[in-house]
Amino acid sequence: MKMKRIASIQDISCLGKCSLTVALPIISAMGVETCIVPTAVLSTHTMFKNFTFRDLTEDLTPIADHWQQEQFRFDAIYTGYLGSKQQIDIVKDYFRRFKQADTLTVVDPAMGDNGKLYPGFNEEFAREIGTLCGVADIILPNLTEAAFMLGEPYVGEGYDEAFIKELLQKLCALGAKTAVLTGVSFDKDSIGAMGYDSCKKEYFSYYNKKVDAAFHGTGDVFASTVVGALMNDLSLEQSLKVAADYTAESIRITAADPEGIRYGVYFEELIPQLLKAIGK
Ligand code: PXL
């Protein structure tokens, strides 16, 4: 069987375990060729102080030009953390050039958490990311990103299922075919994801036990695993389960190590289990 090939467009944080340094190992391990389009090189992710930042915007269109000359095809295009409106416009151009009938576009609007945007982003940027979500097949925002994209107040707790369903409808109204909200929690013991397929008009969800710890890059672990699982022909619902279990277990083992790192999670150790979970 021909190996699937995807392109992932996001930054390289040299140390920090997020964006491409998560997408590349996870999706490759799942047996999918993972081409990368690095949008910037940072010495670390933005949780550290004094990180270096080299913007690669100028390289993005020449990369697309070359790929197009070579007539490369992609089974999916998956985008994460992006740095500017210009980069968002270029990603839309990648979609126009490389999206064929069977190419899945997955947008993780990685720009904030816990009610706040990451350093360097503002409300205008959030609305721009909303327009990128509008041209995607699947979007994977957390509650913070959803609120900023919709220009609504952030509600981080005390909400009910009807509230989440309404948010999902509004996210699909931006134009995305399917929206998945991550970090959804209706009680103190569980957390998970709820999605809405606007074509089938169906909701789906998956929850597991909440681990009382938060690490950078876990949204990227989750999104990368969803993409990898979908490319292994799992349904979106199955992919959410695999991704939620893998992310939760990565958080659990990291938090359990008192001497462990706190800037990312130990996703590497669990790759064998991840492959079992997708039947490899
Ligand atoms: O995981 C999201 C992410 C990606 N890339 C960079 C980041 C972050 C989160 O802070 O700083 C550079």
Side-chain angles (χ1 to χ4, degrees):
M1 201 179 76
K2 200 165 143 267
M3 188 183 269
K4 295 245 176 96
R5 176 195 293 137
I6 73 132
S8 185
I9 312 175
Q10 39 188 334
D11 70 278
I12 293 187
S13 293
C14 300
L15 184 149
K17 300 212 247 186
C18 64
S19 36
L20 285 181
T21 63
V22 162
L24 189 49
I26 292 178
I27 302 171
S28 295
M30 294 169 94
V32 178
E33 178 183 346
T34 307
C35 308
I36 59 165
V37 183
T39 54
V41 179
L42 294 79
S43 51
T44 64
H45 59 47
T46 59
M47 178 190 131
F48 291 93
K49 287 200 188 84
N50 302 323
F51 55 86
T52 69
F53 182 93
R54 178 159 314 270
D55 184 84
L56 297 178
T57 305
E58 267 182 36
D59 294 295
L60 304 181
T61 299
I63 292 169
D65 290 343
H66 183 210
W67 283 6
Q68 216 172 3
Q69 279 158 22
E70 293 290 341
Q71 300 186 326
F72 293 135
R73 290 162 172 265
F74 299 95
D75 295 292
I77 306 174
Y78 155 42
T79 77
Y81 186 99
L82 298 170
S84 62
K85 172 176 181 333
Q86 200 188 346
Q87 289 191 347
I88 295 170
D89 289 341
I90 294 172
V91 167
K92 287 180 188 164
D93 188 47
Y94 269 75
F95 286 6
R96 277 190 293 269
R97 293 185 195 214
F98 297 108
K99 185 165 169 56
Q100 299 189 313
D102 54 355
T103 308
L104 188 72
T105 48
V106 181
V107 171
D108 176 5
M111 62 180 167
D113 209 356
N114 298 313
K116 288 204 188 100
L117 293 174
Y118 297 139
F121 294 137
N122 58 26
E123 281 160 25
E124 194 187 330
F125 179 84
R127 274 190 295 274
E128 287 296 334
I129 286 276
T131 67
L132 179 61
C133 285
V135 295
D137 294 318
I138 299 176
I139 62 172
L140 303 160
N142 60 31
L143 290 171
T144 301
E145 292 153 352
F148 276 98
M149 285 197 291
L150 296 169
E152 294 196 353
Y154 166 70
V155 181
E157 55 187 15
Y159 48 78
D160 58 10
E161 200 177 80
F163 174 83
I164 297 298
K165 284 184 169 173
E166 201 183 321
L167 264 186
L168 287 166
Q169 298 245 7
K170 288 180 186 164
L171 287 166
C172 285
L174 293 174
K177 287 201 192 81
T178 297
V180 175
L181 267 170
T182 62
V184 173
S185 173
F186 298 116
D187 59 70
K188 64 179 184 7
D189 298 324
S190 64
I191 189 160
M194 181 163 193
Y196 177 62
D197 180 329
S198 68
C199 300
K200 292 190 196 148
K201 299 206 177 347
E202 277 172 16
Y203 293 95
F204 46 91
S205 56
Y206 181 72
Y207 304 94
N208 46 24
K209 218 173 133 230
K210 192 188 276 185
V211 183
D212 216 4
F215 296 98
H216 264 60
T218 51
D220 302 339
V221 171
F222 179 82
S224 299
T225 311
V226 169
V227 171
L230 289 170
M231 290 298 105
N232 276 277
D233 297 325
L234 271 69
S235 69
L236 180 56
E237 217 173 328
Q238 289 168 326
S239 302
L240 289 186
K241 176 181 181 330
V242 169
D245 288 346
Y246 178 54
T247 309
E249 187 60 8
S250 298
I251 295 172
R252 196 190 64 71
I253 63 169
T254 311
D257 180 355
E259 289 167 29
I261 58 164
R262 290 295 173 258
Y263 55 78
V265 291
Y266 295 160
F267 68 89
E268 301 90 337
E269 258 179 72
L270 300 172
I271 284 179
Q273 285 93 312
L274 170 62
L275 299 191
K276 276 196 207 108
I278 60 166
K280 286 224 171 223

